[in-house]
Each structure stands twice: as C-alpha cells, then as structure tokens.
C-alpha cells in the first residue's frame, strides 16, 4: 500500500478527531454554568487533531523507510530465496525485479531467476500493507482517544496548540540551519579525501592548474593541482574588476536616489534598478560572452593591442559588476537613508551645501553599512558562476592582463564535476576542495559584513 | 488677529525682522501672518503650546524649511534689512550668519575636533591648521566644554554625554561666528543639571549674539530671555519684555498659558 493512502487515512482520522473534539467542546460550553471555557472550541479540536496527526506523521515516515526492508527480509527468509546467487549485485537485481512485478510497476520478469520470488514478494507486500494500515488506525485511534479524554471545560487547549505551532515554526527554521551544516559536513568530508591524495600545500600554493581526469587516480601529479591561478582569477574578476565597476556606479546611484531624485522618480527608478538583481545570471552570461567580450576585443585591437582574447577577464568582470550594482546600491541606499535626519539638518544648518553634506556627513556616517554592502557584493561576485563560465574562459592563466582569458574557482568546480573523471578521482574531488575554500571565504565575508551592519544599526538606535 | 505688543517695549535695533510671514505645509497654514522683531543684543524666547508653530517659525528664520519639499513661506524676513528669501543672499551664507541648535543633540559621527572644524572648513574661514586649532579651542571654551574635552579632541563626538553633546553643537554653531543663534528646545532631551549648564551658557553668550530660543519651559524662558513671544495657533498673540509677559500679560490666552491652565 502506498504511503499516500496511509496519509489520507491519517488526515481522515485527524478530521474525525477535530470534529468530535469540537462537538465535545461545544457541549462543555452549553453545559457549563457560565458558558465559559479555558479555550475556544476550535483549540480543543486542534488539540485532538494534532495528537492524531503528529504521531501518525512520524509513524508513516518511519514506516516508509522500514517497510521495504521488512518485506525484503521476509522474502529472503522464504524457501524460494534459497537458490539466489551469492553475488550481492546479481541478487539485488533479481530481488528488485521480482518486487517490481509483485507491486505492479513491471509486467513480466526479464530474468528467469526472479520468477519464483514474485509470489513470496506478493504475499509479503500484502501482509505488511495490512500491518501498516492497522497500525495507522490503532495509533491514530489510541492517541486521539487519549487526547480526547483530556478535554475538560478548564483544559488549557490553546496554550498547548500554540506550543505545537511554535515547535513547528522552530523546526522549519532548523531545516535551513541543518542543511547548511550538512553542506559543510559533506564538503569537509570530500575535501579531506582530496587532501589525502594531494597535499593542501600543493593545492593552496601551487601555481599550475590542470588536473587530468583520465590520469591514474592512485598516483595524481600534485604539481597539476595548484589552485593559485584560480584564486587569482576569482579575485581579479569578482573582487577587483567587478567592484571597480560596481562600487562607484552603485554608490552614486544610491546617493542620487536617496538625496536628489524626487519621490515620483524614485518610486520607479529604485524598482527598475532592483530588476537588475532579478535577471537570471545566465542571461548576463551570454550578454557578456556575445556582446561585451567581442566588443572589448575589437576595441583592444582597434587601439593596437594585438592578441586580445575573445574571452576576457575584463568582459566577465564588467558584466558581473553591472549585475552587482543593485546589491551595492540597495545596501548603500538603506544605510544612507538610516542616517538620522537630525544629522543632515545639523550639517545644512551649518551652511553646508547638499553635496558637502553628502560627502562629509552622510557618506562617512553610512560608511560601515556601505562597506558591509560591498563585502556582501564581493561574496556574491566570487561565488558567481554562469558569467565566468560563459565569458571568462577556461585557461588557468596567472596574469594581470585583463584582456586575457582567466578562469575562476566556480568555473573549475563546474568543469571538474561535469568532466569525464570518475567520482573518486582526485580531479573530481578537487572540486570539493575548491568549493570548501570558496565557502569559507564567502562565509567569512558575510559574517564580518553582518557584524558590521549590526554594530552600525546599534549606533543609531 | 493682531499681535499685542507691550507698550513699554523700548525700541532696540532689530537684527531680524519678520513681516506678515505665513508658512504653509502643502495647503495647511502653520504660521499665519506673523510680524515680529528679533533684537540684536537680547535673548528672545518663543513660548506656546505644542503645535502652535513656534519651531516652524524658527526654522523659517534660517530657511531650514527649504529642506521640507512641501513647505512654502510667504511674507518678508530680513536680516540686517536684507530679505533672506528674495534677495541675492545665498542660503549657505544665510545659515553661516544664522546658526541653529536642535532639540536633540546631533553631533556628527566624527571627532570632537572635526565637529567644531566642520563649519570653518566648509566656509573657508580658517587659514591653515593653527588658525583652525585656535577656532576650535575658542569655540569650545565659549561653550564651556574646553576643560572637559581638551585631552580627548580626537574622540568621537557621539561618545560624549547628552549635555556635553548639546554644548558641542552650540560650540559648533559658534565656530562659524554667526550673528544669530536659533535654538529649538535645546534642553528638552537633557537632565536638569545639563539644562542648567546650557542656560548658563546662553546667559554667557547673551550680548554677543542675537539668540532665539524655543522652549516649553516657562521657567526657562523667564530665566534666560529678555524678550518673549507667545505663539498660539500659528500666530503671535503677545510680544514684549519677558518680565512684562510673565507678570503682566495683556491677553487672556497668554495669562491662561503661563498660569498653566492649558498648553
């Protein structure tokens, strides 16, 4: 029986419990002397319904995990399983096939050896379906009854229901945190595997990058795993070129929007700017690759720089800078707007002009917030993938010439994970080490930025 | 309604002169035909119930209402006979001559030194570092703050106590050598001791500057000012020597307000 049916049953039981409990609470209300309950009837209803739904939900999840194993165990115990081959891979194939026929997802067995197993599977499935169904009914009924017996006119159903709701909310927020932890753990695990094959020193300080996914995995050449060119490319494109474009443009647009633009203009300029943040990065990517990069190359050739690449760090960096503008400008906008009006008035009352006030009072006062915004933007830029994949090239060049192709950490992660290497090859695993370094850097940047923003907020409260 | 001017108000030379001034916020009239003189050698206080327009009128005197897009000023305000709204006088120059201190101390998030040096720098008053040092010291001394902060001029102005911050703001206003200082409830965010210090300071400054102070405290008005204007519903009901206004009000409304019957 599919879990959907069990779930449906659970919901049905919950609904029944809800209705019965509400009827009971209404009865309390009409019988009580003053017609007052400690909680509204709906809360009594939810109390019972939750007592049915939560245990059943837990049971169904456990059952979904456990029942296939139980079925398999009982089939293996049957006499028909005696002639199964020893080799685990073959045996599993036969078992899977027989199971598929038994539960109706396949029409006939492909492998003759699976045929005698179909009948035991059918029996086991039928048996455990019945058990699952009955267990759901019994658990639902027992829990529901227990909860129902608790109902009294002065029973504080509301506080219990609210506690449950709070627990559910907490669980929801925990999911995100636990996922982050899970990412870190898996990254760390694979990174250590990689560092078991290639020393971290070679990885972090080597200057040649060119892992060969087809080489002998047991004997990697550590001199091909030097990630410095990738780190340099990442920083050069994401933190230098992109920021040279994004910081002045973002800051100036924030100043214009907060200080000069009138209300009507601001009302549509600001959302328009924020649309930039919503453009899919792949669109920026082909804009960079098809429009900006050739333009830069032609320009370079026109001014006499020969050998300009059609894939260049400059193209990727500039487009990335444009993509980042909304991040810089919206943080700068918020911080400038957060500087108290009193500060602005104080400066204007001293006879300062608007631009003096902005330069000497508003921007310095908003600086922590602006810096934090820039740091968030950098962490966003160095983690950006699509633009560099499409426009920066794949060559791991360690150069300061922005007209040459460069590659970044994110690009190489993509390249390594989608390459031909097997999954436990050091070339593939290097992607995890790269990801780990990137994760640590962006985590550090975000952490510092958020602390700065927090202190900045406190300063004006 | 016509402002009642006390008969025994002797003529003094007026620093500023407002004639038929009305201030609007969008279509709402906040100040209605106010005519008043600000004498050059005295402290003038504006009293009146909340929302009567005294702060709005104060802000009209150095065109701070310009920063509010919906505000509009009609009538004529002169500084030494020059119309501050219509003549060639630049708002930057006007505010250098008519300084302002706000209700809540608002030092810039800069060092104490830079707070004072801000005005002289933007107006190009000081020639070189030494003169600037001198101005900073003189302004802080005048504001009675020098001894408290002389060893920590590079500390942030926002790290001072509320009362010190307000004196810093007064010192900052003095630093550009204004002719008029407008104070908008300068003590309302301060404790009684800090308030007493500010009042002392106002007494010290009196005579060198024309000072206008908006206050909710009638005792304060009585203590620090020589001229008082009573505002009500956007108009000046009564104007005269402070002693006359408080001991011998001519209007029933003034009498009611100063005896605490409303406001």
């Amino acid at each position: 029986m599919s879990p959907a049916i069990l779930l449906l049953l659970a919901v049905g039981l919950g609904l029944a419990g809800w209705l019965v409990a509400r009827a009971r609470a209404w009865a309390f209300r009409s019988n009580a002397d003053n017609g007052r309950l400690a909680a509204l009837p709906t809360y009594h209803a939810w109390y019972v319904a939750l007592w049915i739904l939560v245990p059943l939900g837990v049971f169904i999840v456990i059952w979904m995990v456990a029942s296939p194993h139980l079925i398999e165990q009982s089939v293996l115990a049957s006499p028909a399983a005696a002639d199964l081959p020893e080799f685990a891979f073959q045996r599993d194939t036969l078992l899977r096939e027989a199971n598929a026929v038994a539960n109706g997802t396949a029409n006939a067995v492909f492998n003759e050896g699976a045929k005698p197993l179909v009948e035991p599977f059918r029996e086991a499935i039928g048996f455990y379906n019945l058990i699952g169904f009955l267990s759901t009914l019994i658990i639902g009924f027992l829990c529901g009854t227990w909860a129902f017996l608790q109902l009294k006119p002065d029973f504080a159903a509301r506080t219990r229901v609210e506690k449950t709701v709070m627990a559910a909310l907490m669980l929801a927020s925990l999911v995100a945190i636990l996922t982050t932890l899970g990412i870190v753990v898996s990254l760390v695990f694979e990174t250590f595997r990689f560092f078991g094959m290639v020393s971290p020193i070679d990885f972090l300080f080597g200057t040649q990058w060119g892992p060969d996914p087809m080489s002998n995995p047991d004997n990697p050449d550590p001199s091909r795993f030097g990630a410095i060119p990738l780190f340099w490319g990442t920083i050069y494109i994401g933190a230098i070129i992109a920021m040279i474009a994004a910081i002045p443009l973002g800051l100036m647009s924030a100043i214009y929007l907060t200080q000069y633009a009138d209300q009507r203009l601001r009302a549509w300029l600001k959302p328009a700017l924020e649309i930039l943040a919503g453009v899919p990065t792949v669109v920026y990517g082909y804009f960079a690759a098809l429009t900006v990069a050739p333009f830069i190359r032609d320009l370079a050739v026109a001014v006499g720089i020969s050998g300009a690449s059609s894939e260049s760090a400059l193209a990727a960096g500039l487009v990335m800078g444009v993509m980042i503008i909304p991040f810089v400008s919206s943080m700068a906008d918020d911080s400038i707007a957060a500087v108290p009006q009193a500060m602005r008035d104080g400066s204007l009352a001293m006879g300062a002009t608007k631009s003096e006030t902005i330069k000497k009072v508003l921007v310095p006062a908003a600086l922590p917030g602006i810096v934090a915004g820039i740091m968030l933007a950098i962490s966003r830029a160095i983690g950006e993938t699509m633009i560099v994949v499409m426009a920066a090239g794949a060559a791991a060049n360690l150069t300061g010439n922005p007209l040459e192709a460069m590659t970044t950490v994110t690009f190489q992660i993509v390249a390594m994970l989608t390459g031909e290497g097997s999954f436990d090859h050091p070339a593939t695993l290097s992607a995890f080490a790269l990801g780990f370094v990137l994760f640590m850097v962006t985590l550090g940047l975000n952490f510092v930025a958020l602390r700065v923003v927090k202190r900045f907020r406190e300063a004006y409260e | 309604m016509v402002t009642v001017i006390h008969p025994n108000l002797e003529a003094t030379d007026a620093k500023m002169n407002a004639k038929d001034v009305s201030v609007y916020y969008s279509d709402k009239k906040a100040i209605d035909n106010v005519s008043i003189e600000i004498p050059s050698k005295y402290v003038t206080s504006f009293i009146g119930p909340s929302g009567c327009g005294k702060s709005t009128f104060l802000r009209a005197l150095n065109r701070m209402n310009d920063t509010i897009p919906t505000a509009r000023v009609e009538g004529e305000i002169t500084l030494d006979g020059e119309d501050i709204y219509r003549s060639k006088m630049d708002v930057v120059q006007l505010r250098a001559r008519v300084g302002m201190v706000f209700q809540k101390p608002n030092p810039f998030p800069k060092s104490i030194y830079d707070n004072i040096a801000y005005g002289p720098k933007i107006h190009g008053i000081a020639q070189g570092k030494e003169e600037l040092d001198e101005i900073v010291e003189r302004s802080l001394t005048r504001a009675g703050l020098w001894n408290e902060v002389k060893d920590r001029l590079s500390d942030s102005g926002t790290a001072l106590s509320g009362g010190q911050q307000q004196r810093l703001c007064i010192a900052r206003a003095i630093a550009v050598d204004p002719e008029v200082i407008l104070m908008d409830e300068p003590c309302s965010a301060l404790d009684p001791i800090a308030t007493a210090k500010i009042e002392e300071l106002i007494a010290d400054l009196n005579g060198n500057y024309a000072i206008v102070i908006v206050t909710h405290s009638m005792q304060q008005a009585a203590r620090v000012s020589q001229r008082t204007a009573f505002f009500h519903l956007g108009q000046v009901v009564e104007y005269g020597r402070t002693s006359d206004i408080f001991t011998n009000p001519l209007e029933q409304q003034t009498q009611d307000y100063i005896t605490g019957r409303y406001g």
Side-chain angles (χ1 to χ4, degrees):
Chain A
M1 181 174 312
S2 70
I5 294 177
L6 292 186
L7 271 179
L8 222 57
L9 181 64
V11 171
L13 284 173
L15 185 64
W18 195 89
L19 292 170
V20 171
R22 201 180 60 157
R24 175 95 171 131
W26 275 113
F28 286 148
R29 190 180 244 189
S30 47
N31 290 346
D33 302 333
N34 52 6
R36 279 174 170 274
L37 297 180
L40 290 175
T42 344
Y43 285 109
H44 287 85
W46 276 114
Y47 177 74
V48 173
L50 283 172
W51 256 107
I52 295 172
L53 289 173
V54 174
L56 278 184
V58 174
F59 169 74
I60 290 171
V61 169
I62 294 174
W63 186 248
M64 272 164 60
V65 177
S67 63
H69 291 283
L70 292 172
I71 291 169
E72 203 176 295
Q73 286 302 316
S74 77
V75 169
L76 285 176
S78 75
D83 349 314
L84 275 176
E86 277 302 308
F87 186 45
F89 186 70
Q90 286 180 359
R91 198 176 57 180
D92 286 351
T93 315
L94 291 180
L95 284 173
R96 213 172 300 136
E97 217 173 287
N99 191 358
V101 174
N103 65 25
T105 47
N107 291 326
V109 289
F110 175 73
N111 228 314
E112 278 307 308
K115 219 168 218 170
L117 290 171
V118 172
E119 206 41 46
F121 254 113
R122 211 164 262 160
E123 274 170 26
I125 289 172
F127 176 69
Y128 281 108
N129 276 348
L130 190 64
I131 298 243
F133 189 77
L134 289 178
S135 308
T136 308
L137 268 183
I138 291 168
I139 293 173
F141 192 72
L142 284 181
C143 292
T145 311
W146 188 81
F148 186 76
L149 290 178
Q150 302 236 308
L151 300 185
K152 284 187 210 74
D154 61 350
F155 179 65
R158 180 173 51 80
T159 48
R160 319 259 166 134
V161 171
E162 278 171 357
K163 267 185 196 151
T164 318
V165 170
M166 197 195 72
L169 295 178
M170 200 175 74
L171 213 64
S173 62
L174 270 181
V175 167
I177 295 167
L178 289 178
T179 310
T180 314
L181 275 182
I183 292 172
V184 174
V185 169
S186 75
L187 265 180
V188 167
F189 182 74
E190 302 290 348
T191 303
F192 272 94
R193 263 177 81 187
F194 172 70
F195 284 148
M197 302 175 190
V198 176
S199 108
I201 309 277
D202 289 328
F203 174 74
L204 289 176
F205 301 107
T207 56
Q208 292 294 325
W209 179 263
D212 178 6
M214 291 293 117
S215 66
N216 177 6
D218 299 325
N219 187 21
D221 175 6
S223 69
R224 301 184 66 128
F225 283 93
I228 289 280
L230 311 189
F231 297 150
W232 168 244
T234 306
I235 291 168
Y236 198 53
I237 294 175
I240 299 177
I241 299 178
M243 288 305 133
I244 286 174
I247 292 171
L249 289 175
L251 204 54
M252 287 192 282
S253 70
I255 288 170
Y256 177 71
L257 282 177
T258 53
Q259 301 304 314
Y260 291 100
D262 74 50
Q263 280 304 319
R264 271 170 306 166
L265 195 62
R266 181 179 159 89
W268 71 264
L269 255 186
K270 201 168 146 72
L273 195 62
E274 273 153 11
I275 287 175
L276 269 185
V279 175
T281 57
V282 67
V283 175
Y284 282 111
Y286 62 67
F287 177 63
L290 300 181
T291 312
V292 180
F295 174 74
I296 287 173
R297 183 201 51 207
D298 295 345
L299 200 69
V301 170
V303 299
I305 304 167
S306 58
S309 165
S310 63
E311 289 178 322
S312 65
L314 190 59
L318 284 181
V319 173
M320 200 184 277
V322 172
M323 183 191 87
I324 291 298
I325 288 174
F327 292 81
V328 177
S329 80
S330 90
M331 278 291 278
D333 189 320
D334 290 349
S335 335
I336 292 174
V339 176
Q341 180 68 31
M343 213 75 90
R344 204 164 314 183
D345 283 352
S347 174
L348 292 173
M350 296 295 302
T353 63
K354 205 164 181 174
S355 69
E356 281 167 340
T357 302
I358 292 166
K359 263 187 306 203
K360 295 190 174 151
V361 175
L362 294 185
V363 171
L367 201 59
I370 294 170
V371 169
I374 290 170
M375 287 169 88
L376 289 177
I378 291 178
S379 92
R380 169 80 210 238
I382 65 177
E384 166 50 37
T385 311
M386 275 330 285
I387 293 175
V388 291
V389 165
M390 296 174 85
N397 286 328
L398 190 53
T399 165
N401 181 356
L403 296 173
E404 270 188 56
M406 271 187 205
T407 192
T408 65
V409 171
T410 48
F411 179 92
Q412 289 301 323
I413 292 175
V414 173
M416 291 300 137
L417 284 179
T418 56
E420 303 89 62
S422 67
F423 199 70
D424 50 0
H425 192 283
T428 315
L429 288 177
S430 70
F432 290 97
L434 289 173
F436 183 69
V437 173
L438 193 64
F439 183 79
M440 279 321 195
V441 171
T442 51
L443 191 72
L445 278 172
N446 287 5
F447 183 73
V448 173
L450 292 178
R451 297 265 317 222
V452 171
V453 171
K454 188 158 167 266
R455 203 169 313 156
F456 173 66
R457 295 248 160 84
E458 281 163 2
Y460 292 121
E461 273 165 13
Chain B
M1 198 181 84
V2 181
T3 303
V4 174
I5 299 189
H6 273 259
N8 50 357
L9 182 70
E10 73 277 23
T12 50
D13 46 336
K15 189 74 197 172
M16 296 189 83
N17 207 331
K19 222 162 108 195
D20 301 328
V21 173
S22 297
V23 182
Y24 299 83
Y25 293 123
S26 298
D27 295 329
K28 196 180 155 289
K29 206 170 191 177
I31 290 290
D32 183 13
N33 265 328
V34 166
S35 299
I36 197 170
E37 275 183 8
I38 309 293
S40 58
K41 291 273 164 17
Y42 292 124
V43 177
T44 306
S45 63
F46 292 171
I47 60 169
S50 297
C52 66
K54 51 196 190 307
S55 287
T56 298
F57 183 70
L58 191 77
R59 289 168 66 92
L61 295 179
N62 72 341
R63 296 185 56 176
M64 278 305 282
N65 287 327
D66 291 11
T67 62
I68 303 165
T70 56
R72 188 160 51 85
V73 178
E74 280 175 7
E76 186 188 74
I77 301 177
T78 57
L79 173 64
D80 286 338
E82 220 182 325
D83 189 329
I84 64 172
Y85 279 90
R86 273 157 211 82
S87 72
K88 272 174 276 172
M89 192 190 298
D90 184 30
V91 69
V92 166
Q93 290 161 4
L94 168 69
R95 287 176 190 160
R97 292 172 66 188
V98 183
M100 188 161 195
V101 174
F102 294 83
Q103 194 167 350
K104 239 182 100 197
N106 58 349
F108 304 130
K110 299 169 176 286
S111 72
I112 293 171
Y113 184 96
D114 286 338
N115 261 285
I116 308 294
Y118 185 78
K121 271 186 192 161
I122 56 176
H123 293 297
I125 290 174
Q127 328 246 320
K129 171 93 175 107
E130 270 165 45
E131 201 181 333
L132 196 59
D133 287 349
E134 215 178 280
I135 292 176
V136 170
E137 180 174 348
R138 183 163 17 103
S139 309
L140 283 170
T141 310
R142 269 215 180 144
L145 199 59
W146 176 249
N147 286 327
E148 290 162 60
V149 301
K150 65 176 177 224
D151 300 322
R152 47 181 182 133
L153 289 175
S154 56
D155 285 11
S156 173
T158 51
L160 296 172
S161 74
Q164 289 174 323
Q165 286 188 11
Q166 195 61 301
R167 278 181 284 151
L168 180 69
C169 292
I170 294 174
R172 185 174 73 186
I174 294 172
V176 292
D177 210 14
E179 295 153 39
V180 183
I181 303 177
L182 308 174
M183 298 186 178
D184 190 359
E185 297 180 45
C187 301
S188 65
L190 304 181
D191 64 61
I193 295 171
T195 301
K197 284 205 171 131
I198 302 278
E199 288 181 5
E200 249 171 66
L201 174 56
I202 293 171
D204 288 347
L205 298 176
N206 187 12
N208 293 318
Y209 308 95
I211 297 176
V212 184
I213 178 170
V214 166
T215 177
H216 269 129
S217 155
M218 277 162 295
Q219 289 89 336
Q220 186 170 65
R223 280 193 300 262
V224 302
S225 70
Q226 292 78 44
R227 296 282 179 276
T228 295
F230 172 61
F231 279 72
H232 186 54
L233 298 177
Q235 294 173 322
V236 177
V237 175
E238 191 166 344
Y239 175 64
R241 296 203 305 206
T242 301
S243 50
D244 292 339
I245 296 276
F246 280 94
T247 55
N248 182 27
L250 300 175
E251 286 290 308
Q252 188 59 38
Q253 280 175 322
T254 317
Q255 165 110 33
D256 287 348
Y257 182 70
I258 61 174
T259 53
R261 220 162 295 170
Y262 73 90

